[in-house]
Amino acid sequence: EIVMTQSPATLSVSPGERATLSCRASQSVSSSLAWYQQKPGQAPRLLIFGASTRATGIPARFSGSGSGTEFTLTISSLQSEDVAVYYCQQYNNWPPRTFGQGTKVEIK
Amino acid sequence: QVQLQESGPGLVRPSETLSLTCTVSGYSISSRYYWGWIRQSPGKGLEWIGSMHHSGSTYYNPSLKSRVTMSEDTSKNQFSLKLSSVTAADTAVYYCARLKEDSVMVAEYWGQGTLVTVSS
């Protein structure tokens, strides 16, 4: 069973600064890694799939990298509308576990 | 633009069956895509429940497999979730989703979610 671990739990970043979120898999998931953004009261939104491919309509300030067990989501210049919880998800292996526990991004 | 809307009872008694329906507009569920159910609870975070395809192919989370059934009604462009023998641990917001092409586990379009509380 693959366990996804995200860090940090909370990230405080000043507007316009870079935000770097990490996701680690307990075993290799190749590039089968997605990132989602969830704002309060809303459903998650797909940001990144295949570890580094932006989904349709996602701004270029969001980028993903990594493979195997270590992955990163970078927001190059944090905007106020980026305040949310971000989840990573592996889809290389069928559940029971697929999502990380989330990283909350807030404005400093 | 595909849109999804969950519907069903907001309160279910323990040991009974939770039944939810997802109504899809803007796209046929009889397409090449998989359709899925995901839930979110404060205690367990996001949890994948299962995925289904018009062809009859289904994938269920092993931890829920004995209690889950997913089905479709193509005449209404809907698909459904049944979860039997519910307990308080099944209290969550339930989301339906259209999955990304060639994927059984990447949710590209989501419904707004519906809260289901299991309580007597």
Side-chain angles (χ1 to χ4, degrees):
Chain A
E1 179 180 326
I2 296 177
V3 177
M4 307 301 293
T5 303
Q6 292 186 241
S7 62
T10 303
L11 184 63
S12 297
V13 179
S14 300
E17 295 298 304
R18 178 185 301 263
T20 303
L21 290 68
S22 295
C23 176
R24 174 176 294 178
S26 60
Q27 63 190 76
S28 177
V29 298
S30 186
S31 294
S32 300
L33 194 285
W35 289 95
Y36 297 86
Q37 174 194 65
Q38 187 176 33
K39 297 181 180 181
Q42 296 184 17
R45 176 174 72 147
L46 178 65
L47 295 177
I48 301 283
F49 62 95
S52 61
T53 303
R54 278 189 301 276
T56 303
I58 301 303
R61 65 180 182 273
F62 291 93
S63 64
S65 63
S67 66
T69 61
E70 300 283 344
F71 300 89
T72 300
L73 175 69
T74 301
I75 309 172
S76 61
S77 177
L78 191 74
Q79 309 296 306
S80 58
E81 62 264 33
D82 300 332
V83 169
V85 179
Y86 293 81
Y87 295 94
C88 64
Q89 179 209 18
Q90 68 83 15
Y91 53 97
N92 192 64
N93 292 72
W94 189 244
R97 295 193 185 212
T98 180
F99 292 97
Q101 80 280 17
T103 290
K104 182 178 181 180
V105 173
E106 58 183 32
I107 297 289
K108 183 185 289 184
Chain B
Q1 176 78 345
V2 60
Q3 293 184 312
L4 303 98
Q5 178 67 59
E6 306 87 352
S7 60
L11 178 65
V12 181
R13 307 296 185 194
S15 80
E16 296 188 344
T17 296
L18 178 160
S19 296
L20 295 175
T21 296
C22 183
T23 301
V24 180
S25 58
Y27 206 85
S28 171
I29 65 169
S30 305
S31 65
R32 63 187 183 275
Y33 293 95
Y34 273 81
W35 305 84
W37 288 96
I38 305 107
R39 69 182 183 180
Q40 185 173 31
S41 62
K44 297 189 72 175
L46 285 163
E47 182 177 30
W48 202 277
I49 300 172
S51 307
M52 63 168 288
H53 188 272
H54 175 62
S55 65
S57 174
T58 56
Y59 294 84
Y60 297 145
N61 188 323
S63 68
L64 301 169
K65 187 174 183 178
S66 63
R67 300 193 291 130
V68 170
T69 303
M70 294 178 63
S71 60
E72 64 175 15
D73 184 338
T74 55
S75 67
K76 297 180 180 178
N77 213 39
Q78 297 174 333
F79 62 102
S80 298
L81 169 70
K82 291 188 185 298
L83 181 66
S84 64
S85 305
V86 297
T87 69
D90 296 309
T91 294
V93 175
Y94 285 75
Y95 297 100
C96 61
R98 194 193 84 175
L99 308 188
K100 190 148 182 55
E101 189 171 10
D102 298 327
S103 173
V104 299
M105 215 160 60
V106 178
E108 185 171 22
Y109 294 97
W110 297 65
Q112 65 184 30
T114 187
L115 174 63
V116 178
T117 301
V118 178
S119 175
S120 56

